[in-house]
DNA sequence: CGTTATTTGTGCGTATGTATT
DNA sequence: AAATACATACGCACAAATAAC
């Protein structure tokens, strides 16, 4: 419905983006103070409240910290605590030495829960199920759900057809077709018993305790693009993360 | 204005805490809409802006999402205790609303495996065992091992004595005393059955499938400083991470 | 040592726009 | 078409922490 002709974005987002890229460019390294709220308000012709809104986002992203009376500073991950190393690229590179075998091809279906988690206003989603194999050992069962608007770009991909086997990742297949790039992935990791289907696909007992990883990908407009529900065999997979300063 | 109220906190935080705990209690499960901004403003005698500030925090924590014209909804995450342990603020904030109960105080012991993982040239390590409690529910059992050189800085800490209970984190206790700052933590996450001791401490059955998180901290000289082995109850805890580009 | 200016934090009020019902 | 509910944006006042004088 909405045409792509929407270059306009909130002022606070413009401000936040500018500051983010300046920070990334190293403009405020080594404890250099960022501009004050008043300065930015003048510079952008916005109110102090609007600038605060931008800073609030940057703070919750953990890239700046603020001290009353002193100012705002880019967070130096080198001084105190740790920062996470994992990135979305790491998730994409998962494919290099593993194979994706399609268990059930990409097709339209009704799934209220998946639709709700993707925050769709219909119950219709597109789903595909596959497993990943490493050294001929299947170690993970994944179900991916996509909104219709996203799925239509990959409906004809041979990698997602019945019985296909490739070294792709779904997000890697999708990325080139999306008008806005994937910007974040929210993951939650817990333990869940293998369902009968999962058990059959990864060759374990039903009810076996699995490492369950839910991933929700979104683009830089905060639109949800993909929901991936994975069951990893803990005997063959350990989730590793390095937090660095 | 109120001079007598020392532990006073901002209204928006009070509102956010109330909503967080209601959400955790399942009050807004299954798509039940949260109160509107106006309703909460009346209920708390605050302005709509203050309520919005609270909601903004909840949104950036990922526990609610908002839809213009429809309302605010709890993000479906099985109402587990959700904590984001990818960034450092999250690691520190862990202490704000959870309690650390010492199960076994910090003391010298011989543990070949721990010593080996810390790459010590002796078998002597210092170990402490504790659990963490949230809303009177124990949700994790942790054993921490330290090299002697590190442990001596906190041997006399009251927080690590027999029967102590505090809101500290061990890394928070250690940090000020170390001559070289913690530079990285390598984590691995998998599934493991509860041992008898773990089961008793977190009140579950022996053999219950737990989320096991091993963390190995090191400083910028690549010296290993702390080994933490945690068993999380998956019913009450989900490990959350956000990956960004 | 206070005093003052600066800077962020909290909280209120208003107005207007947009999406949903 | 109207009412509801959230989004953006402006304004103001005062508090609290910091730094410089």
């Amino acid at each position: 419905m909405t045409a792509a002709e929407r270059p306009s974005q909130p002022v606070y987002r413009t401000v936040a983006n500018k500051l983010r890229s300046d920070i990334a460019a190293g403009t405020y390294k080594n404890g250099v103070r960022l501009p004050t709220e008043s300065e930015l308000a003048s510079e952008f012709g916005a109110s102090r409240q609007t600038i605060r809104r931008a800073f609030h986002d940057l703070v919750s992203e953990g890239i700046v910290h603020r001290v009353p009376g002193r100012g705002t500073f880019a967070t130096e991950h080198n001084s105190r605590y740790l920062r996470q190393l994992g990135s979305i690229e790491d998730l994409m590179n998962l494919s290099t030495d593993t194979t994706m075998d399609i268990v059930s091809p990409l097709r339209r279906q009704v799934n209220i829960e998946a639709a709700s988690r993707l925050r769709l206003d219909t119950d219709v989603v597109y789903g595909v199920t596959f497993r990943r194999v490493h050294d001929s050992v299947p170690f993970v069962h994944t179900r991916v759900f996509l909104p219709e608007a996203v799925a239509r770009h990959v409906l004809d991909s041979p990698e997602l057809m019945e019985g296909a086997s490739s070294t792709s990742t779904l997000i890697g297949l999708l990325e080139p077709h999306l008008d806005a790039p994937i910007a974040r992935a929210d993951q939650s990791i817990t333990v869940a018993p293998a369902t009968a289907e999962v058990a059959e696909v990864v060759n374990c007992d039903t009810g076996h305790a699995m490492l369950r990883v839910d991933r929700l990908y979104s683009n830089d407009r905060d639109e949800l693009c993909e929901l991936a529900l994975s069951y990893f065999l803990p005997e063959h997979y350990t989730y590793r993360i390095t937090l660095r300063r």
Side-chain angles (χ1 to χ4, degrees), chain A residues 9-22:
Chain A
Q9 66 174 349
V11 177
Y12 73 83
R13 200 169 288 225
T14 308
V15 175
N17 286 341
K18 171 69 159 58
L19 292 172
R20 250 190 295 261
S21 66
D22 284 353

Side-chain angles (χ1 to χ4, degrees), chain A residues 4-218:
Chain A
E5 40 178 291
R6 259 283 169 257
S8 172
Q9 66 174 349
V11 177
Y12 73 83
R13 200 169 288 225
T14 308
V15 175
N17 286 341
K18 171 69 159 58
L19 292 172
R20 250 190 295 261
S21 66
D22 284 353
I23 290 166
T27 310
Y28 305 114
K29 274 174 87 162
N30 300 340
V32 173
R33 204 190 65 183
L34 272 71
T36 66
E37 294 175 355
S38 308
E39 288 165 355
L40 289 166
S42 302
E43 179 183 340
F44 287 90
S47 78
R48 194 186 145 214
Q49 298 311 316
T50 301
I51 305 299
R52 285 185 65 72
R53 176 69 168 82
F55 272 132
H56 197 274
D57 286 355
L58 299 183
V59 167
S60 73
E61 287 168 26
I63 69 180
V64 305
H65 63 103
R66 321 195 71 199
V67 185
R70 300 215 315 141
T72 306
F73 305 88
T75 301
E76 310 271 354
H77 354 299
N78 70 348
S79 70
R80 281 178 71 142
Y81 296 117
L82 307 170
R83 191 152 233 279
Q84 154 191 340
L85 182 67
S87 71
I88 293 177
E89 280 71 18
D90 293 340
L91 297 182
M92 293 184 170
N93 291 337
L94 181 68
S95 62
T96 55
D97 56 353
T98 68
T99 309
M100 177 174 79
D101 297 346
I102 301 297
V103 172
S104 162
L106 181 62
R107 65 155 181 272
R108 186 187 144 104
Q109 55 191 265
V110 171
N111 186 315
I112 298 175
E113 199 208 320
S116 146
R117 293 187 63 178
L118 285 166
R119 296 188 202 139
L120 302 177
D121 45 12
T122 70
D123 294 340
V124 175
V125 295
Y126 284 68
V128 57
T129 305
F130 56 87
R131 68 176 180 184
R132 237 171 237 291
V133 178
H134 175 69
D135 280 350
S136 9
V137 179
F139 67 98
V140 57
H141 172 284
T142 302
R143 281 203 303 164
V144 170
F145 297 99
L146 306 171
E148 198 275 337
V150 172
R152 64 189 163 84
H153 297 114
V154 288
L155 269 178
D156 296 326
S157 294
E159 291 92 343
L160 303 180
M161 297 291 190
E162 180 89 53
S165 184
S166 69
T167 57
S168 320
T169 59
L170 196 43
I171 210 72
L173 289 174
L174 278 174
E175 259 272 312
H177 302 99
L178 298 177
D179 25 290
I182 299 292
R184 56 185 281 183
D186 292 297
Q187 305 189 71
S188 65
I189 305 178
T190 186
V191 177
T195 63
E197 188 206 316
V198 168
E200 193 198 328
V201 169
V202 300
N203 195 24
C204 69
D205 293 334
T206 300
H208 188 71
M210 308 284 283
L211 191 67
R212 174 166 167 166
V213 179
D214 292 10
R215 282 195 194 107
L216 198 49
Y217 294 88
S218 31

Side-chain angles (χ1 to χ4, degrees), chain A residues 1-6 223:
Chain A
M1 311 298 186
T2 50
E5 40 178 291
R6 259 283 169 257
E223 296 163 343

